[in-house]
Structures are given as C-alpha cells and as structure tokens.
RNA sequence: GCAGAAGUGGUGGAAUUGGUAGACACGCUGGACUUAAAAUCCAGUGGACAGAAAUGUCCGUACGGGUUCAAGUCCCGUCUUCUGUACCA
C-alpha cells in the first residue's frame, strides 16, 4: 500500500538536494549557456514569511528549474537585505544588538524557505549586513567619490583625469555646461581659473571645485527629517507626509549630507529603459520620476537691483504672454527684492507657508494664495516691466524655484492672475481664453508677440530661444525632475562611511583597511550632542582614524580627525548585490572579472512593483557607473523584469455593540442600530471557510468579551464579516506558509499559489480551492500506482496513440505557458492531462516518464519521488525537458485543401483534432454553411466534429 | 487632475492572429461506497423558453454605438474598480 505521503517525500528530497548540492551553479560550465534568475531579496522581518511572500519565489523557481531542464547553467541565488530600520527600532527598545535580531530572523526565514523546496544555490547566499559584503559597498562608495561625470564622453571617469585637466588648462578645459555648473555654485575666482591658479589654490579651494563634480559629494541640503526616528528619510521612504515605517511626522530641515549625483545619469537612465523587457507601467513610472522636460532657461533682470531671476519654462514660445513672475516662498531672493511697503505682508506670507506642513499643502491644492513683492522685473525681449509675486504653487525644489507666469497658457498662472486681478494678455490667434487657459501646444498660432507672430509652437520656441541667446538672457535647456539622492542616515544599523575629515574636508579611508566594521555601542540612539549613534563609539572612531591616517603620509599623525558618523541608507547594499552572488566568497574584489563576464546581467528578475523608483533606479545608476569605470561589462542590471502581484489577506471582523456587552453575528446586524455597532478584527485562524467564528477561541483570545451576550444566527452559528486587506500582523489576517505545508505539503502550496490567478495580478488569499490542487497531486500519484495494493507500477508496453496525444498536447502547452509566464494555466493543463490519462488508464512508461519531467518545475518533490521510483538514481533536475512531437498533434498552422460540391476548393484550418473522415462529413453535412458562403471563396474553414463552425472569407 | 491596468457564471479564473465564450478549479445539487463521517468515485451545474427524453431555439463577456460573414477580443463614446503619481512651470 503506497499512499501519497507528502510530508516524508518532501523532507526526503529537501535533504537530498541539500546534501548533493543539486542546485549549485557552476562557474565553469563549458559550452553550456548561462541563465541568471533572481528574486528581489527579502528584508528578514520579525514576523516571518506569510503566504504572499513566496509567490514570486515560486514563479522564479519554476522558471529556474525549467531552464535547468532546458540545458542552461542556471544561477538562482537568494540572500537577505538585512540592514534596516525595524531591527534598529527593536534594538532601541530592548537593547538587543540588531545583528542578533537579524540573525534570528534570517534563521526563521531560511527554515520557512527550505520547506517550500526552492532550488536556491545557498552556497552563494549574501547578507548586506555582513562585513565581508559591505566592505564592497564601502569600496563602491569610494569609487563614486573618486569619479566625475564627463558629459563630453557621456561617462564617468576617474577624478584624477579631471585634476589633470585643471592642471593643464584650468577651468576652460571643461565644456560649457560644466563651466556653468561652477559659475552657478561657486564664487567667480573659483569658477574661472587658469592652470597656474589651480596650482595656487589651497586644498579647500580645490576640493570645493572637485566636489561640484564628484559622483558622491557633501552638500548642505534640505532633507526630510523625522524627529521621532532621529533620521533623514528619502522621498520614497515617506508616504502621505509621514514616515513609511512607523508613520511618524516628517519636517524639512537643512543638514550637511552625502549625496549621490544620480542626476548625472538622468538621460542615460531614461534612454536605457527602451532596451529593457520590463512591464510598461513600471518603465512609465521611471520615466515620470526622471521627468525630462525640454524648454528654455530665461533670465529676468530685476529693476533697480543687481540680482536677476532665472526661470525654467517648457513654453518659450509664449514668452510675450508673461504678465508677472512668481517665486516660491523659499526662493533666495525673496527677502532682498521685497520693497519696504510690502515687507510686512511678504514676511507674514513666507512664515505662514513655512509653517504649513507638507501634508496640509498637499491636501489643499485648490486654494490660491500669494503676495506681491513690490519689485518689478524687466522682460528680456520686450523690455516691459512685470511685477514679481510670491506664491506657494511654485515649488522651491523644482527648476529654479521661480516661474514666468503666462496666464493665457497655463491654468495655474491663469487662476493666480484671476485671483489677484493681474492682466491676462492673449497671445494665441483665434483662441478664446474667456474661461480658462489654453494649455495645448498644437494647433495654434502665436499672436501679439512681436517677431514670433504667425509661428506655430515649435517654430516659435526655436525663434524665442535664438533671440534669448543672442541677448544673453537665456538658452535652450533640459530640466529633470530627478533629484540627487541623499545618502546619509543618522542610524546605527547600516554601512559606516569609509570617511574621516581633515580640516573639514572628507578623506577616504584606504580600501586596504576595509571593511570598516560597525562598533559595539551602549545604546542605539543619537548621542546627547545630537551625533548619530556611532558617536557613542569614541574608541572605535579613534582607532579607525589612526589606522587610516597612518596610511596617508600627507597627514599630520598627531592630530585628531573626526570620523564620519552617519551610515548609508538601505538601498546602498541592494544596489549591487546581484553581482556578489556571482562570486560571493571573493576577498580580493567584489566579484572576479571572469565571474562578472560569464554571468553578465540578470536574465530574469522577479519582485514587487513598489521598488519601481527606488531600488530599481538606484541599481541601474550604480551599474551604469560600474560599467563606465570598467569594473563590469554590462550597463543594465536586469534584462527582463516581472512584477508579481500582491497576495492580499481576507480579514475577519466581529461586530460588537459600542458598549462591548454584545457580540453580534454578521447575519443579525439589521436588528441593531448601525450607530451602536462597531467591528473589530479577529484572527482569521479562528474562522472557518464558511465564515463561522469559533466563539470560545475568540473569547479566550480577547478575554474582555468573556461576559458578552452572543447574538448568533438562527441556526446557532456565529458569522463574521470578511474584507480584503493587505496581509499584516496587525490585521490578524496573516496565513503562514508553514501551516499550509503541514496540512497539504509544499508541492500543493506551490501549485496552488500559481493556480490562484495570473502572476502579475493582485489577489486575495483564500484557502477555499486548495483541495482541488491537492486532489490533483493525489490523482497524479495514483496514475503511477495501480492494482489492489496500489503499489508502484508502470507498464513497459508501447503507449496508445490516445495517451500519446494527451501527453504531447500537454508538453506543447506547458512549454509555451512557462515561456509566457502563465503558470496558472499550466496547472489547469496538468489537471486535464491527469484526468484524461486516468480515464484512458494509461500506465505506460513512454507516457508517465515525460509527464513527471513536465511537472517537476512546479511540484519538484513528488516529481523526484516518482522519478526515483521509475528507476533513476540521479535527480530529475536537469533532465531534458520533453519537446512535443507534432506527429501526435494535428498542427493548427497546417491547412488542407478539400473539395466541396465537386467544384469549390476550401482550405481547412485544423484547429481541432479531427480525422479526415470527420472533416469530409462535417463539410458535407452542413447546409447552413452553403447559405453563409453566398458565392464567396473562403480562405479558411473552421470545423468541429460534426459541423462547420465558421468560414473565413 | 494626470498616467497605467482592468471589468466574463454563485466564486477564483480560461479563451493563439477576431473564429464552438465560460476550460480548469472551488462551491452547490444528486448518486455510489460506508452503521456513520471523512476520503474517494460518478453525474449535473450561465440564463430563458420548448420537449417525456435525446435535443432544439433565443439571450448572454460593465453600458451605448460602430467595423466584420464572424467581436470578450478591433474602433468611438459612457460608467465603474484597482494601482501609481501629485501644483513639475
């Protein structure tokens, strides 16, 4: 008697795979082609995995196993993004070292992952918080610091090249664009200099110049400061104005921070998207995030002032429609431009808008506010005087923080002008701006605009830019929404910067002293002086700097140099981890040249869409940088990317009266006043499939309801209300994959998660249908076991042609399903095949052996077991995947000419499996067909047994 | 507001280039086995109408139009839901 005992089978094969290193990728695979399948590695949280996490892992595992069957040398690793805020928050509360928490969480994750039978090559595991890993994160940081972006070659180059340029030709060695960078940010004597000047500059002066170009640099930048967390947050770590983790308020604050010059790569990050096989919505959101807009920069002189105001516009064609300028309240010229009469009003307005939180400003988009400065600017082309206003609809962080207002062509300018009764000159021919602005570019002709009259949008833009450049008051330019990324965090649990300071100037620690390992501290909070937590490790800082200084001969050894006490953000380690898997043990380099060249980039990357503008953009940036500097040979990290949908939870709610004295079943709520009823989450494990609550368990769990009156249904049951929400511990709707594995096994879980629906779609988790999938595995098992005793049996006879048809139909479908990532339909395909083979009582090796290979990527444990029972000693992994033999299928592409009424010739498209007799019968039998034809000659006739279904004319 | 995705039975969802709509599964109904339950197996299951039955006819893929011999699929308009994003000059 041999039953499908999934528990012992799964345990057996998981042990077998681990012992035999079945899934170890080879670095020397000869002629075998490589394939790199990667999951976005998880942050090991304390809550463990829920059934939503493995969805993507199962899909990638199926694909990885499939590719092994297809003869590829597959790299399919897994690791942990193990630096992160929750471990640190837990450390602050309990004093427990984050590395201990992290290790415990990783152990739990590993246990859960192992139960699901993934074919990960665990020899290659990486953890971002491992010093042997993050030494290379620190190393990459140093490389970024020692590089600059050269627009003339469109790539990053060593900073020494730039220094050489300065030594030879001073600032004029730079192109026009880079010269402008200098003049906009530095004093005149530092922005235009000769080679000799460069030699004469002090260390500080040189560094001030170089830091304008380095790919990572220190800058006094306005940041999102979260007082509750004591740290800076990136824009994508803030959701609705509060911190993503913890939901604490966030304020704007100026701080000296490390920044990453991702903006240098804006255009290449945009262009590179076209080559990538990524979901279009995801590419779209990266395009939007980069936010390229082409237009012009226009300089307005201010009447009676030295100052000038630079604005960016996408509509230089409308320049004669300017009737005022608007500055952001934070604009640097606000204070100096304001006239005495307006001073009070302006100050009040600036102060008021500074106090409005981000949240308020976002919530209140409609209301219009602003104030006149009293100053006037000179229109660069017409010479007209235009008033300068301040308005909070202009954002300090975009463009120059100032706009030229063209009320006839921009709705916001229009609304502002209406509100404050400013003129709205119409510069469009035959267009009414009675009620709203005319914001379309085409089709319209410019009017009332001097030399632009009669031109269309693109002609007028070109002419306006030409005129502006001629008078030195503007130029055509491209503006990006993308900002440089702040890279400093005031946290403990992150990579320390390999940086110390000499006379306020940053110095890189020599890579030979890496890793710069996190010190022990007595607490994980900022120090009393407001330094980050690393400020508590005085001895460590001293020792580290001493070591580094010894290596630097140019430095006075006796001086005390402060160490950088910030740490790197979470995305640092995740921006390059996919390379470390290629050569995880390497102590000399982050990965060897051979490994990097062999594995190249990730062929298939699976993960959630929430990383669209964070991780996926930063990784692309670092990869392009590493490529430029010759460390790697690919300039995009992820060729194909799939976003798996989120698996949502089905929360359960118990109704109770407001006073808590009665618990009300969902079917009885109409007996109560809705105002009197509240609903509370209850743990989904206490609720049956029919939404029936185990009241005793609930009361044991929530003793405050122990005395409550139970208002149940007429049949005596107590029902809960269901609602679909994100799976989360706090909503008590988490389903643990371990429980499913216990009850049904990992193969069932894997198949069921795929069966649930299309991979990319979000869907609620419901255990309702799992018995169907589990039943399928039992039927599959039975196919290989027959007779009274149900012992293993396969016949060595030649299979029947019916059985072979079923097999080859299945092979064809499964092959194409996997290539198209429609894993859900292949589960159905398997079910059909097993049902049909059972009905045929097919038990021949010629059918059953290929069938088990087909199923192996999906349900690897049962496949291995059956494979071994079929007499094979080697693992099924890597056994050649069956190809379908067309001779067992009527090819749908093949067309057969047949005669009709002795005259007309038809071509039959055999999309159904028919024998020839049936076709003839079908055509001859159908009378309606002849009526439909009406004398046309059809190209194609679609038939089903017994009748013609459709005719293609 | 903008961008993207999607609307198919009681439910999850199938449906090559337009070509038998509802595969497969859940649920439900009936039956077999059993003292019983579980498990397993068999049959039925979009709606309406006709028929004793086999079966037949009509209607059906959010709504309204259109193209076509043929539309879930293509085009135009409307509505709804989800997911991003937020005054980007």
């Amino acid at each position: 008697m041999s039953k499908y005992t999934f528990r012992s089978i799964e345990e057996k094969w998981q042990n077998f795979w681990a012992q035999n290193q079945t899934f170890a990728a080879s670095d020397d695979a000869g002629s075998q082609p490589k394939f790199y399948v990667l999951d976005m590695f998880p942050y090991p949280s304390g809550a463990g995995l829920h059934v939503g996490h493995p969805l993507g892992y199962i899909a990638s595992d199926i694909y990885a196993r499939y590719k092994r069957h297809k003869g590829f040398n597959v790299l399919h690793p897994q690791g942990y993004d193990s630096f992160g805020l929750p471990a640190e928050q837990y450390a602050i509360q309990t004093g427990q070292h984050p590395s201990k928490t992290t290790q415990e969480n990783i152990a739990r994750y590993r246990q859960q992952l192992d139960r699901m039978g993934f074919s990960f090559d665990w020899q290659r595991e990486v953890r971002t918080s491992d010093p042997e890993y993050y030494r290379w994160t620190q190393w990459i940081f140093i490389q970024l610091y020692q590089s600059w972006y050269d627009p003339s070659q469109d790539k990053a180059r060593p900073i020494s090249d730039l220094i050489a340029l300065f030594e030879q030709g001073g600032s004029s060695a730079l192109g026009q664009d880079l010269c402008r960078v200098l003049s906009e940010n530095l004093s005149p004597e530092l922005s235009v200099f000769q080679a000799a000047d460069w030699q004469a500059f002090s260390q500080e002066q040189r560094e001030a110049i170089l830091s304008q170009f380095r790919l990572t640099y220190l800058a006094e930048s306005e940041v999102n400061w979260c007082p509750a967390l004591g740290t800076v947050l990136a824009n994508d770590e803030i959701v609705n104005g509060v911190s993503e983790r913890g939901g604490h308020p966030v304020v704007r604050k100026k701080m000296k921070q490390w920044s990453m010059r991702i903006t240098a790569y804006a255009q290449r990050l945009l262009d590179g998207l076209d080559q990538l096989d990524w979901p279009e919505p995801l590419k779209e959101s990266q395009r939007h995030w980069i936010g390229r807009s082409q237009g012009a920069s226009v300089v307005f002189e201010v009447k009676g002032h030295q100052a000038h105001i630079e604005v960016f516009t996408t509509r230089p064609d409308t320049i004669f429609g300017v009737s005022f300028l608007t500055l952001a309240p934070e604009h640097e010229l606000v204070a100096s431009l304001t006239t005495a009469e307006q001073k009070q009003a302006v100050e009040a307005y600036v102060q008021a808008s500074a106090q409005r939180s981000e949240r308020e400003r976002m919530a209140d988009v409609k209301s219009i506010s602003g104030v006149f400065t009293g100053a006037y600017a000179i229109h660069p082309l017409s010479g007209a005087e235009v008033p300068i206003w301040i308005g909070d609809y202009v954002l300090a962080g975009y463009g120059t923080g100032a706009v030229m207002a063209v009320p006839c062509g921009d709705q916001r300018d229009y609304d502002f002008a209406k509100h404050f009764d400013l003129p709205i000159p119409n510069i469009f021919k035959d267009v009414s701006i009675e009620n709203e602005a005319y914001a379309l570019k085409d089709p319209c002709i410019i009017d009332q605009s001097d030399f632009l009259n009669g031109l269309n949008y693109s002609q007028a833009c070109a002419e306006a830019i030409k005129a502006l450049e001629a008078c030195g008051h503007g130029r055509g330019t491209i503006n990006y929404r993308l900002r440089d990324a702040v890279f400093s965090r005031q946290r403990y649990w992150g990579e320390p910067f390999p940086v110390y300071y000499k006379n306020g100037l940053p110095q890189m620690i020599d890579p030979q002293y890496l890793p710069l390992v996190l010190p022990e501290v007595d607490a994980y909070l900022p120090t009393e002086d407001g330094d980050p937590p690393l400020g508590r490790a005085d001895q460590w800082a001293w020792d580290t700097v001493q070591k580094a200084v010894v290596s630097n001969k140019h430095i006075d050894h006796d001086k005390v140099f402060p160490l950088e006490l910030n740490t790197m953000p979470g995305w640092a380690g995740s921006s390059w981890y996919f390379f470390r898997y290629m050569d995880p043990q390497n102590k000399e380099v982050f990965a060897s040249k051979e490994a990097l060249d062999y594995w190249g980039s990730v062929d298939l990357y699976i993960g959630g869409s929430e990383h669209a503008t964070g991780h996926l953009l930063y990784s692309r940036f670092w990869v392009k940088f590493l490529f430029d500097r010759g460390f790697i040979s690919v300039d995009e990290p992820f060729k194909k990317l799939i976003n798996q949908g989120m698996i949502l939870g089905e929360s359960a709610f118990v109704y109770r009266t407001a006073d808590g004295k009665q618990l009300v079943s969902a079917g009885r709520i109409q007996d109560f006043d809705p105002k009197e009823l509240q609903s509370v989450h209850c743990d989904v494990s206490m609720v049956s499939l029919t939404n029936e609550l185990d009241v005793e368990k609930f009361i044991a769990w929530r003793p405050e309801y122990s005395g409550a009156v139970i208002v149940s249904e007429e049949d005596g049951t107590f029902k809960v209300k269901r609602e679909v929400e994100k799976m989360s511990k706090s909503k008590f709707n988490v389903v643990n994959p371990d429980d499913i594995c216990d009850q049904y096994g990992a193969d069932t879980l894997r198949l069921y998660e795929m069966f649930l629906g299309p991979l990319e779609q979000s869907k609620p988790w419901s255990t309702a249908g799992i018995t169907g999938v589990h039943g399928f595995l039992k039927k599959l098992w039975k196919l290989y076991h027959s007779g009274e005793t149900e012992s293993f049996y396969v016949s060595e006879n030649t299979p029947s042609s019916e059985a072979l048809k079923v097999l080859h139909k299945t092979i064809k479908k499964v092959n194409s399903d996997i290539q198209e990532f429609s894993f859900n339909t292949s589960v159905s395909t398997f079910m059909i095949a097993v049902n049909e083979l059972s009905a045929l009582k097919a038990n021949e090796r010629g059918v059953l052996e290929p069938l088990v290979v087909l199923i192996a990527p999906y349900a690897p444990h049962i496949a291995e077991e059956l494979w071994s029972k079929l007499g094979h000693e080697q693992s099924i992994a890597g056994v050649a995947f069956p190809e379908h033999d067309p001779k067992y299928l009527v090819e749908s592409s093949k067309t057969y000419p047949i005669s009709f009424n002795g005259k007309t010739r038809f071509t039959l498209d055999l999309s159904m499996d028919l024998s020839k007799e049936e076709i003839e019968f079908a055509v001859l039998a159908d009378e309606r067909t002849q009526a439909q034809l009406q004398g046309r000659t059809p190209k194609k006739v679609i038939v089903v047994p017994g009748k013609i279904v459709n005719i293609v004319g």
Side-chain angles (χ1 to χ4, degrees):
Chain A
M1 183 74 168
S2 169
K3 274 183 71 179
Y4 171 46
T5 52
F6 56 86
R7 278 187 207 88
S8 58
I9 291 171
E10 290 179 357
E11 201 186 327
K12 170 179 163 190
W13 289 102
Q14 282 163 12
N15 289 335
F16 177 92
W17 295 329
Q19 275 162 24
N20 292 278
Q21 291 293 313
T22 309
F23 305 113
S26 162
D27 287 321
D28 177 25
S31 60
Q32 219 184 348
K34 69 97 190 180
F35 201 88
Y36 188 178
V37 185
L38 185 63
D39 295 294
M40 289 185 188
F41 63 167
Y43 171 77
S45 84
L49 291 169
H50 61 66
V51 288
H53 292 109
L55 182 73
Y57 304 156
I58 294 169
S60 67
D61 195 61
I62 290 171
Y63 207 77
R65 286 175 179 270
Y66 172 72
K67 279 289 178 180
R68 287 193 196 92
H69 288 297
K70 283 288 189 181
F72 287 83
N73 179 29
V74 173
L75 176 56
H76 185 41
Q78 185 60 289
Y80 305 97
D81 188 11
S82 47
F83 274 136
L85 210 44
E88 178 155 334
Q89 291 292 96
Y90 189 73
I92 291 168
Q93 285 158 22
T94 64
Q96 188 177 130
H97 197 286
S99 83
K100 187 161 180 280
T101 319
T102 303
Q103 263 167 33
E104 286 165 4
N105 291 348
I106 287 178
R108 172 112 197 276
Y109 264 59
R110 179 62 192 276
Q111 225 172 7
Q112 289 185 291
L113 289 170
D114 279 349
R115 289 203 63 182
M116 286 178 262
F118 294 126
S119 64
F120 293 129
D121 181 355
W122 283 110
Q123 296 274 300
R124 294 171 182 264
E125 178 193 307
V126 304
R127 301 177 183 189
T128 54
S129 62
D130 180 352
E132 283 307 305
Y133 177 85
Y134 67 68
R135 72 183 296 169
W136 299 110
T137 312
Q138 292 167 337
W139 179 86
I140 292 170
F141 174 83
I142 295 171
Q143 305 310 311
L144 282 156
Y145 179 77
Q146 289 169 348
S147 302
W148 63 296
Y149 198 85
D150 182 354
S152 69
Q153 296 189 9
D154 225 351
K155 62 182 269 199
R157 298 172 62 188
I159 199 80
S160 53
D161 289 6
L162 183 65
I163 294 170
L165 283 175
F166 287 149
E167 282 170 353
Q168 283 158 26
S171 60
S172 53
L174 296 169
Q176 210 185 352
D177 288 342
L178 290 188
C179 281
R180 190 175 296 119
V181 169
L182 284 178
S183 59
E184 278 171 7
N185 294 298
L186 295 174
S187 59
E189 66 266 25
L190 289 181
S191 38
V192 181
F193 55 87
Q194 306 299 315
D197 298 332
W198 174 260
Q199 297 295 349
F201 282 154
S202 68
Q203 203 64 50
E204 284 82 358
Q205 287 171 315
R206 289 182 186 179
E207 191 47 46
I209 293 165
L210 291 175
S211 71
Q212 300 300 319
F213 300 102
R214 294 184 187 274
L215 288 177
T216 181
Y217 60 98
L218 276 172
E220 187 80 27
S221 47
E222 191 160 286
V223 294
N224 305 302
W225 174 255
C226 179
L229 297 173
T231 188
V232 161
L233 297 173
N235 279 333
D236 46 288
E237 290 170 307
I238 302 167
V239 178
N240 296 330
V242 297
S243 65
E244 189 182 16
R245 298 232 184 238
H248 305 291
V250 176
V251 296
R252 308 286 295 169
K253 186 178 170 184
K254 280 219 164 191
M255 287 179 76
K256 194 152 209 173
Q257 302 277 316
W258 283 98
S259 270
M260 285 280 162
R261 205 179 298 280
I262 189 172
T263 49
Y265 282 88
Q267 189 61 48
R268 279 173 65 193
L269 287 169
L270 193 60
D271 294 341
L273 288 171
D274 296 337
Q275 310 305 320
L276 298 176
D277 184 3
W278 287 15
E280 203 46 49
L282 200 151
K283 290 209 252 184
E284 216 30 64
S285 76
Q286 285 211 352
R287 287 193 190 103
H288 181 251
W289 192 263
I290 295 166
R292 180 189 204 268
S293 48
Q294 190 153 12
S297 154
V298 184
V299 177
F300 287 78
E301 305 293 339
V302 181
K303 187 187 167 195
H305 278 265
Q306 284 294 314
H308 60 266
I309 296 169
E310 188 178 353
V311 302
F312 173 76
T313 178
T314 53
R315 297 295 302 274
D317 57 319
T318 64
I319 188 152
F320 286 97
V322 172
S323 62
F324 57 101
L325 299 187
T326 315
L327 308 184
E330 298 87 353
H331 196 279
E332 53 185 8
L333 293 177
V334 165
S336 59
L337 292 183
T338 306
T339 57
E341 306 86 77
Q342 294 296 322
K343 191 163 186 253
Q344 209 179 345
V346 168
E347 279 178 358
Y349 182 71
V350 169
Q351 206 185 347
S353 51
Q355 275 177 354
R356 291 175 80 193
S357 68
E358 286 273 315
R359 208 178 202 178
E360 280 174 296
R361 256 170 109 159
M362 272 202 295
D364 181 24
V365 172
K366 290 280 175 292
S367 73
I368 295 160
S369 69
V371 63
F372 180 46
T373 60
Y376 289 86
I378 311 293
H379 191 290
L381 298 181
S382 73
E385 290 184 7
V386 293
I388 302 171
W389 282 69
I390 298 169
D392 69 357
Y393 78 97
V394 177
L395 304 175
Y398 182 77
T400 59
V403 301
M404 57 175 226
V406 183
C408 68
D410 183 286
Q411 194 58 44
R412 291 157 305 175
D413 297 342
Y414 186 91
D415 294 340
F416 196 85
K418 277 264 152 144
H419 191 263
F420 291 107
D421 211 15
L422 295 160
I424 307 178
N426 188 355
I427 52 144
F428 300 117
K429 198 167 188 150
D430 303 331
V431 167
S432 165
I433 52 160
E434 195 61 36
N435 299 314
E436 55 179 4
Y438 183 79
L440 301 176
K441 288 171 178 167
D442 301 304
C444 74
I445 300 297
I446 303 292
D447 198 18
Q448 307 288 321
S449 295
D450 198 343
F451 58 93
L452 299 178
N453 285 348
L455 301 180
N456 68 19
Y457 163 71
S458 54
Q459 295 163 334
C461 281
E463 287 301 316
I465 289 169
K466 214 190 275 175
L468 287 166
E469 282 175 351
C471 69
H473 279 84
R475 66 201 154 89
T477 184
I478 293 161
N479 197 42
Y480 296 94
R481 195 190 90 114
L482 185 69
R483 305 259 72 92
D484 279 347
V486 175
F487 198 65
S488 298
R489 297 289 183 274
Q490 294 66 44
R491 292 178 194 157
Y492 173 79
W493 193 230
E495 299 88 347
F497 281 87
V499 174
Y500 64 95
Y501 294 90
K502 183 205 160 198
N503 302 330
L505 294 182
Q507 311 287 326
M508 294 296 122
I509 287 173
D510 193 302
Q512 65 172 305
Y513 297 113
L514 298 182
L516 175 49
V517 180
L518 278 173
E520 296 289 333
V521 289
D522 56 353
Y524 302 95
L525 287 165
T527 66
E528 282 165 16
D529 310 337
D531 280 337
L534 292 188
R536 295 172 178 273
D538 289 340
Q539 189 61 42
W540 168 78
W542 168 259
D543 292 347
T544 305
V545 174
Q546 280 311 104
K547 236 186 343 184
V549 167
V550 169
S551 74
N552 190 338
K553 296 192 187 75
H554 306 293
I555 284 183
D556 178 358
H557 291 191
D558 300 327
K559 260 182 112 173
V560 177
F561 300 105
L563 188 73
E564 170 67 63
L565 298 175
N566 284 304
T567 54
M568 299 185 195
W571 55 269
S574 60
S575 292
W576 72 279
Y577 74 108
F578 33 90
F579 291 128
R580 188 62 177 169
Y581 286 130
M582 297 172 182
D583 192 7
Q585 315 295 339
N586 202 315
K587 299 232 184 257
E588 310 299 320
V589 285
F590 68 92
S592 72
K593 189 94 184 105
E594 297 77 51
L596 287 164
D597 285 348
Y598 178 71
W599 291 110
S601 54
V602 176
D603 294 290
L604 173 65
Y605 196 32
I606 295 188
S609 57
E610 66 273 19
H611 298 107
T613 50
H615 163 60
L616 289 172
L617 202 57
Y618 297 132
S619 299
R620 294 182 60 222
F621 161 43
W622 279 31
V623 165
K624 286 183 185 299
F625 163 72
L626 291 169
F627 171 78
D628 285 354
R629 293 296 317 276
F631 297 117
I632 56 175
S633 53
V634 294
D635 85 330
E636 282 287 347
F638 316 118
K639 274 187 221 159
K640 182 176 177 66
L641 185 134
I642 289 185
N643 289 133
Q644 91 276 18
M646 204 189 317
I647 290 193
L648 303 165
E650 263 200 333
S651 304
F653 292 87
V654 173
Y655 286 103
R656 49 157 244 186
T657 49
D659 57 12
K661 288 184 177 148
Q662 294 181 77
L663 297 179
V664 183
S665 181
R668 296 289 302 278
I669 54 168
Q670 66 276 16
D671 302 348
F672 290 79
D673 178 0
K675 288 187 211 110
E676 278 297 295
L677 281 179
Q678 298 173 349
S679 61
V680 289
H681 272 105
C682 75
D683 199 306
V684 288
S685 66
M686 300 167 184
V687 180
S688 77
L689 282 177
T690 51
N691 297 339
E692 194 178 321
L693 178 72
D694 187 329
V695 179
E696 273 177 39
K697 265 196 196 165
F698 179 72
I699 286 172
W701 181 57
R702 280 285 152 90
E704 64 261 38
Y705 298 115
S706 57
V709 177
I710 310 296
V711 183
S712 45
E713 305 289 322
E714 281 170 16
D715 60 5
T717 61
F718 190 95
K719 298 277 170 87
V720 297
K721 177 182 72 163
R722 289 282 193 166
E723 218 168 84
V724 173
E725 297 181 292
K726 227 171 172 172
M727 232 179 237
S728 132
K729 222 176 170 180
S730 62
K731 290 171 182 146
F732 305 104
N733 59 359
V734 171
V735 182
N736 188 330
D738 294 345
D739 297 341
I740 308 290
C741 286
D742 284 336
Q743 211 179 340
Y744 299 101
D747 284 340
T748 301
L749 175 68
R750 291 168 62 107
L751 281 167
Y752 185 58
E753 292 223 1
M754 292 299 103
F755 182 70
L756 226 43
L759 179 60
E760 307 197 49
Q761 188 178 305
S762 288
K763 53 233 156 191
W765 174 267
S766 142
T767 321
I770 200 166
T771 52
V773 174
H774 189 62
F776 154 73
L777 286 174
K778 288 194 208 165
K779 280 185 211 165
L780 175 72
W781 183 260
K782 265 184 141 169
L783 208 52
Y784 295 77
H785 297 78
S786 55
E788 286 290 299
T789 57
E790 295 201 335
S791 54
F792 180 80
Y793 174 75
V794 290
S795 145
E796 302 296 332
N797 297 339
T798 308
S800 69
S801 67
E802 286 81 9
L804 286 170
K805 273 185 187 172
V806 173
L807 173 70
H808 287 273
K809 190 174 71 181
T810 308
I811 293 172
K812 191 180 176 201
K813 184 80 166 77
V814 171
N815 259 307
S816 67
D817 279 346
I818 296 181
Q819 279 156 30
E820 288 157 25
F821 299 91
S822 0
F823 300 125
N824 54 331
T825 52
S826 21
V827 179
S828 296
T829 308
F830 290 135
M831 290 180 179
I832 296 167
V834 168
N835 283 341
E836 289 179 352
L837 290 176
S838 302
L840 291 168
K841 298 203 187 326
N843 61 359
E844 298 83 8
R845 178 179 292 272
V847 172
L848 295 186
E849 209 167 85
L851 182 71
V852 80
V853 182
L854 279 184
I855 293 174
Y858 292 81
H861 308 87
I862 193 172
E864 288 278 18
E865 180 70 12
L866 292 172
W867 186 249
S868 103
K869 287 194 173 206
L870 282 160
H872 302 279
E873 280 175 21
Q874 297 294 313
S875 160
I876 198 170
V879 168
F881 208 68
E883 285 294 334
H884 77 275
D885 185 341
K887 86 175 172 217
Y888 293 107
L889 303 171
V890 179
E891 274 193 82
S892 60
S893 58
K894 201 164 181 182
T895 52
Y896 294 93
I898 66 155
S899 60
F900 186 63
N901 283 351
K903 289 178 185 171
T904 325
R905 290 185 73 83
F906 293 101
T907 356
L908 273 194
D909 183 321
L910 298 184
S911 41
M912 304 299 290
D913 176 14
L914 293 176
S915 72
K916 218 163 180 192
E917 293 81 5
E918 284 168 323
I919 294 163
E920 305 246 349
F921 170 76
V923 174
L924 294 172
D926 190 82
E927 290 167 19
R928 207 173 49 154
T929 310
Q930 299 177 49
Q932 282 178 2
L933 286 176
Q934 297 166 352
R936 281 186 306 274
T937 310
K939 287 182 193 135
K940 208 165 84 171
V941 182
I942 310 294
V943 298
V944 296
K947 68 172 181 184
I948 290 187
V949 173
N950 256 315
I951 296 174
V952 180

